[in-house]
Amino acid sequence: MACLLEAPLRISVLSVTASSRHYVDRLFDPDPQKVLLGVIDMKNAVIGNNKQKANLIVLGAVPRLLYLLQQDSSGAELRTECAVVLGSLAMGTENNVKSLVDCHIIPALLQGLLSQDLKFIEACLRCLRTVFISTVTPVQLLYTDAAVIPHLMSLLSRSRRTQEYICQIFSHCCKTPDHQMILYNHGAIQNIAHLLISFSYKVQMQALKCFSVLAYENPQVSMTLVNVLVDGELLSQVFVRMMQRDKPIEMQLTAAKCLTYMCRAGAIRTDDNCIVLKTLPCLVRMCSKERLLEERVDGAETLAYLIEPDVELQRIASITDHLIAMLADYFKYPSSVSAITDIKRLDHDLKHAHELRQAAFKLYASLGANDEDIRKKIIETENMMDRIVSGLSESSIKVRLAAVRCLHSLSRSVQQLRTSFQDHAVWKPLMKLLQNAPEEVLVMASSTLCNLLLEFSPSKEPILESGAIDLLCSLTQSESPALRVNGIWALMNMAFQAEQKIKMDILRALSTEQLFRLLSDPDVNVLMKTLGLLRNLLSTRPHIDQIMSSHGKQIMQAVTLILEGEHNIEVKEQTLCILANIADGTTAKDLIMINDDILQKIKYYMGHSNVKLQLAATFCISNLIWNEEEGSQERQDRLREMGFVDILHKLTQSADPSLCDRAKTAMQQYLA
């Protein structure tokens, strides 16, 4: 039986290969007419047949087709048919496209665009469009020759097809700010704007997509778009018309993206009617159950991006069409229909389930970024905290990132930190996530942990017990400035009003070497948070004295270096506040009194032009001369000799009321 079954199978494979070989052989016929007929037959054979396409590629059809396409002697019809077959081969698998690109199809097709024959040009553009749509094609190939973009711009006027294909090529190949500027500088806006009112829907759509990729995070392009007129009408108004409910969904959504990107780039105000009354409601509509799953994903992600930085837009969105409740539906896929009755539906739902959850988490994160009432509504949505907790351990990295973003947004709420966050022990999956995750997730997760470590958060204690100190200290050694900032920030929050044991554990785990490395970190945010940590460690007298007795020499060295260095006002103010804390210690203050260099620096900053620095420096002196403390008389005498009383007297005349009061309080210590 096995032999009987095997023979016909082998024959069928051989016959397919043989027939494919026959197509390729005909490309080499000396009779041009027979070659043309062979190419036409090949075109008909490959339509919808991926196996045939793969066979022809393996058998070497592509180099021959490209050769024929590039020969003027081939004649317009043959060259056009070659471009059509190549386009058809490109519509197969990613491997097919890769083979075509490896055979240098792109330079050959771009060369073909120099022809005068419109049909041939259109066939080359259609093929280029198909090749560039594929994710395996390096888009940079469009920009290699500087003459290509201007030539494509000149072909836009030739026909509706050239308009459609060229706009599609641009929208797929515009991936970076550099690409945006190349297209912008070659007149993309002027050349494409009038296509928005083309009689062809396909042309309109591709032009619209072009504007969305050109405007994305690009202030220069967006500012230009605002002033563009299309047939006497402002471009933004053309986009508004395209968002009308009677327009196709794809058009509404893409027009809303254009206005969203222009708004985020600062070209349109967030309170402009075209945003508040048109774009935002349009995007909320895209989130409704009536829309296709992919439209709901796109709508929610674009809306999240639109409202992310603006509290007023967040408030408006939260009360538009029950959006918060509507988003809960995003978590109900795959739907509960039986897999047997509707296998196609299940497959479709499964494919989009991750994207839907990711989009919902992103939008919830944007909605809850600032407003306490909105956060409360989000958390009260059915099973919301459970959904976030399970989202943190999903297999999809994008869902995990979106879930932790959402958690970060909600963790800004004092009320929720005390209630929902504790009830659901969200710190557990968060700590697990911090053990092993890509940098982007680590940054967001560690940022959320900073909030969970605030002194009023009930999660603070269990997080400490789960070994957070070592984890956070390891983050401070990361190459990523954002992770270093978050690691030190979380330790700073942990040290705030903490008991002595925790402070000593932090110092031990961090090590003085690492602490001083962080104090000379090139990133000013890392430096500021490290100073904040030091300030929190050096609070309450017994703690100040103990830490200064073991680490005093290094801390005074670091303080000196910072006060001497080229640092901004905030850094120097924070450093003087640390000195003021040291001056508040019982024995620690002696480390300042025996250090002439530090005393001279305090004196210098008392006379500084910046009031913040004067205040902080005066606070140091106030703590050093406080009457009720042992040795205050000797300290007062020493500082009087150094001229501090004269400076204090001058400061009592200051125009700044806080500085004036602080100086008067210090002067009273001498008079008492």
Side-chain angles (χ1 to χ4, degrees):
M1 280 298 285
C3 288
L4 286 172
L5 279 171
E6 201 178 352
L9 190 66
R10 191 183 296 153
I11 289 163
S12 68
V13 171
L14 289 171
S15 62
V16 168
T17 312
S19 70
S20 302
R21 166 65 65 196
H22 167 66
Y23 287 119
V24 178
D25 289 344
R26 290 170 72 186
L27 298 180
F28 292 89
D29 197 293
D31 183 348
Q33 196 54 35
K34 284 182 181 172
V35 175
L36 175 61
L37 292 172
V39 174
I40 292 168
D41 286 346
M42 187 184 279
K43 174 179 74 177
N44 296 330
V46 296
I47 292 170
N49 188 338
N50 276 349
K51 194 168 186 182
Q52 184 70 280
K53 288 174 186 178
N55 279 335
L56 289 170
I57 290 170
V58 169
L59 291 168
V62 176
R64 183 62 182 169
L65 286 167
L66 285 172
Y67 173 79
L68 294 169
L69 178 134
Q70 291 175 88
Q71 299 305 306
D72 289 334
S73 59
S74 293
E77 192 180 356
L78 175 56
R79 294 172 81 194
T80 303
E81 291 294 350
C82 286
V84 172
V85 174
L86 288 163
S88 191
L89 294 176
M91 282 182 181
T93 63
E94 285 189 348
N95 279 340
N96 290 6
V97 178
K98 201 170 179 316
S99 301
L100 292 170
V101 173
D102 290 345
C103 287
H104 307 293
I105 189 173
I106 292 171
L109 291 169
L110 291 173
Q111 190 64 31
L113 299 180
L114 298 172
S115 163
Q116 293 307 304
D117 187 280
L118 182 57
K119 273 195 170 177
F120 178 53
I121 290 171
E122 288 175 350
C124 287
L125 284 170
R126 192 186 308 115
C127 185
L128 276 167
R129 179 271 317 262
T130 308
V131 172
F132 275 122
I133 279 174
S134 170
T135 52
V136 300
T137 307
V139 295
Q140 200 53 41
L141 292 171
L142 187 69
Y143 304 96
T144 312
D145 181 347
V148 169
I149 300 298
H151 185 60
L152 287 170
M153 294 292 177
S154 72
L155 292 175
L156 277 168
S157 57
R158 293 293 298 273
S159 72
R160 285 184 194 171
R161 285 201 178 104
T162 63
Q163 290 166 352
E164 180 195 339
Y165 303 147
I166 291 168
C167 285
Q168 206 169 354
I169 289 166
F170 286 163
S171 63
H172 276 277
C173 294
C174 187
K175 303 285 188 194
T176 68
D178 282 348
H179 297 161
Q180 288 174 325
M181 293 323 292
I182 290 168
L183 295 173
Y184 174 80
N185 291 331
H186 282 106
I189 293 174
Q190 303 86 311
N191 284 304
I192 296 171
H194 70 280
L195 303 182
L196 291 169
I197 52 170
S198 164
F199 291 115
S200 160
Y201 172 73
K202 285 181 176 178
V203 172
Q204 282 184 313
M205 266 318 300
Q206 295 310 329
L208 194 54
K209 285 177 181 175
C210 252
F211 282 123
S212 78
V213 296
L214 283 168
Y216 182 66
E217 292 190 348
N218 193 313
Q220 192 176 348
V221 172
S222 296
M223 291 293 187
T224 307
L225 290 177
V226 165
N227 300 310
V228 170
L229 288 173
V230 182
D231 203 23
E233 188 179 23
L234 277 172
L235 190 61
S236 55
Q237 287 312 303
V238 176
F239 293 151
V240 166
R241 267 195 301 105
M242 288 176 153
M243 289 190 295
Q244 287 170 359
R245 288 168 187 257
D246 60 339
K247 295 286 188 277
I249 295 300
E250 180 190 30
M251 180 174 272
Q252 290 184 47
L253 194 45
T254 313
K257 279 184 184 178
C258 290
L259 288 164
T260 294
Y261 299 159
M262 288 163 71
C263 177
R264 281 300 306 267
I268 301 175
R269 287 167 55 103
T270 52
D271 59 359
D272 191 297
N273 282 348
C274 78
I275 298 296
V276 179
L277 304 178
K278 301 293 181 182
T279 309
L280 188 146
C282 171
L283 290 170
V284 173
R285 281 202 308 275
M286 296 301 144
C287 299
S288 73
K289 267 184 173 176
E290 286 70 52
R291 301 274 51 87
L292 297 172
L293 299 188
E294 38 272 75
E295 291 162 358
R296 296 174 79 183
V297 168
D298 226 356
E301 293 204 334
T302 309
L303 182 56
Y305 183 65
L306 173 66
I307 67 173
E308 189 180 20
D310 191 89
V311 65
E312 200 45 48
L313 288 180
Q314 290 157 13
R315 287 184 183 134
I316 295 164
S318 73
I319 55 167
T320 305
D321 290 354
H322 309 288
L323 177 65
I324 291 174
M326 196 194 295
L327 285 176
D329 189 62
Y330 277 47
F331 295 94
K332 293 174 182 171
Y333 294 89
S335 49
S336 53
V337 294
S338 157
I340 298 160
T341 58
D342 202 343
I343 197 79
K344 269 191 177 172
R345 165 83 177 275
L346 184 74
D347 187 49
H348 180 258
D349 288 6
L350 274 168
K351 207 161 75 180
H352 290 286
H354 288 315
E355 292 171 10
L356 283 160
R357 288 198 290 278
Q358 179 193 342
F361 282 138
K362 273 187 187 173
L363 186 43
Y364 277 138
S366 284
L367 283 163
N370 296 290
D371 189 286
E372 192 62 27
D373 291 336
I374 298 174
R375 287 185 197 123
K376 192 168 181 295
K377 277 187 199 167
I378 292 170
I379 283 174
E380 286 169 359
T381 307
E382 52 177 316
N383 308 324
M384 191 61 210
M385 290 308 287
D386 291 331
R387 280 173 178 152
I388 293 174
V389 168
S390 58
L392 293 174
S393 51
E394 275 216 24
S395 58
S396 162
I397 192 73
K398 287 182 175 177
V399 177
R400 266 184 286 165
L401 179 58
V404 81
R405 263 204 189 128
C406 183
L407 191 65
H408 179 248
S409 183
L410 300 174
S411 73
R412 292 175 180 151
S413 160
V414 176
Q415 178 62 31
Q416 301 312 328
L417 282 173
R418 284 185 170 145
T419 54
S420 308
F421 275 53
Q422 187 59 13
D423 298 342
H424 291 81
V426 296
W427 63 269
K428 284 184 182 174
L430 197 63
M431 286 293 286
K432 194 177 171 191
L433 201 58
L434 281 162
Q435 311 291 337
N436 179 28
E439 188 179 310
E440 204 179 356
V441 176
L442 275 179
V443 169
M444 201 50 71
S446 53
S447 204
T448 309
L449 198 65
C450 289
N451 292 345
L452 293 183
L453 286 167
L454 290 164
E455 98 278 7
F456 51 75
S457 165
S459 306
K460 184 173 181 175
E461 213 161 296
I463 290 171
L464 267 167
E465 287 164 8
S466 71
I469 293 178
D470 289 334
L471 179 77
L472 295 169
C473 288
S474 69
L475 286 183
T476 69
Q477 296 176 17
S478 167
E479 284 181 19
S480 155
L483 284 177
R484 291 202 301 279
V485 168
N486 287 349
I488 205 76
W489 194 340
L491 289 169
M492 180 185 92
N493 287 351
M494 200 182 269
F496 182 74
Q497 293 183 354
E499 56 193 60
Q500 178 74 353
K501 182 188 177 304
I502 292 171
K503 289 183 179 180
M504 293 314 286
D505 285 348
I506 291 171
L507 269 173
R508 206 172 298 115
L510 191 61
S511 83
T512 40
E513 292 81 5
Q514 177 60 4
L515 182 66
F516 298 118
R517 257 199 299 276
L518 293 165
L519 285 171
S520 55
D521 198 283
D523 188 292
V524 70
N525 295 315
V526 174
L527 174 56
M528 277 298 282
K529 294 294 175 239
T530 309
L531 290 169
L533 167 64
L534 205 47
R535 192 172 166 184
N536 286 349
L537 290 171
L538 294 166
S539 61
T540 72
R541 278 185 188 163
H543 299 179
I544 295 167
D545 290 334
Q546 189 180 346
I547 290 170
M548 290 307 288
S549 70
S550 54
H551 299 88
K553 190 182 171 191
Q554 299 103 309
I555 289 171
M556 294 306 282
Q557 260 179 340
V559 165
T560 308
L561 282 171
I562 291 168
L563 291 177
E564 281 175 355
E566 293 291 317
H567 293 290
N568 65 31
I569 298 295
E570 286 71 24
V571 167
K572 296 207 168 177
E573 181 193 14
Q574 187 81 291
T575 308
L576 287 166
C577 287
I578 289 168
L579 268 183
N581 282 13
I582 296 167
D584 193 38
T586 306
T587 56
K589 53 167 57 81
D590 295 342
L591 288 164
I592 297 175
M593 291 305 299
I594 60 167
N595 192 324
D596 266 9
D597 190 17
I598 284 284
L599 288 171
Q600 289 299 340
K601 284 180 171 51
I602 294 171
K603 191 174 173 184
Y604 166 76
Y605 284 109
M606 283 175 79
H608 199 277
S609 57
N610 185 281
V611 174
K612 283 182 177 179
L613 297 182
Q614 287 180 293
L615 259 170
T618 308
F619 198 19
C620 287
I621 294 303
S622 192
N623 282 347
L624 288 172
I625 61 175
W626 205 255
N627 261 324
E628 296 149 23
E629 289 165 17
E630 197 182 325
S632 61
Q633 190 60 55
E634 291 90 331
R635 286 192 294 275
Q636 285 180 11
D637 293 346
R638 169 93 198 283
L639 294 171
R640 186 197 298 274
E641 283 167 27
M642 290 181 73
F644 277 93
V645 174
D646 297 339
I647 299 171
L648 284 172
H649 186 70
K650 224 189 251 176
L651 292 178
T652 58
Q653 316 297 316
S654 168
D656 183 87
S658 302
L659 183 57
C660 177
D661 289 349
R662 172 62 56 203
K664 282 177 181 172
T665 306
M667 282 297 284
Q668 279 163 9
Q669 302 308 306
Y670 276 99
L671 302 171

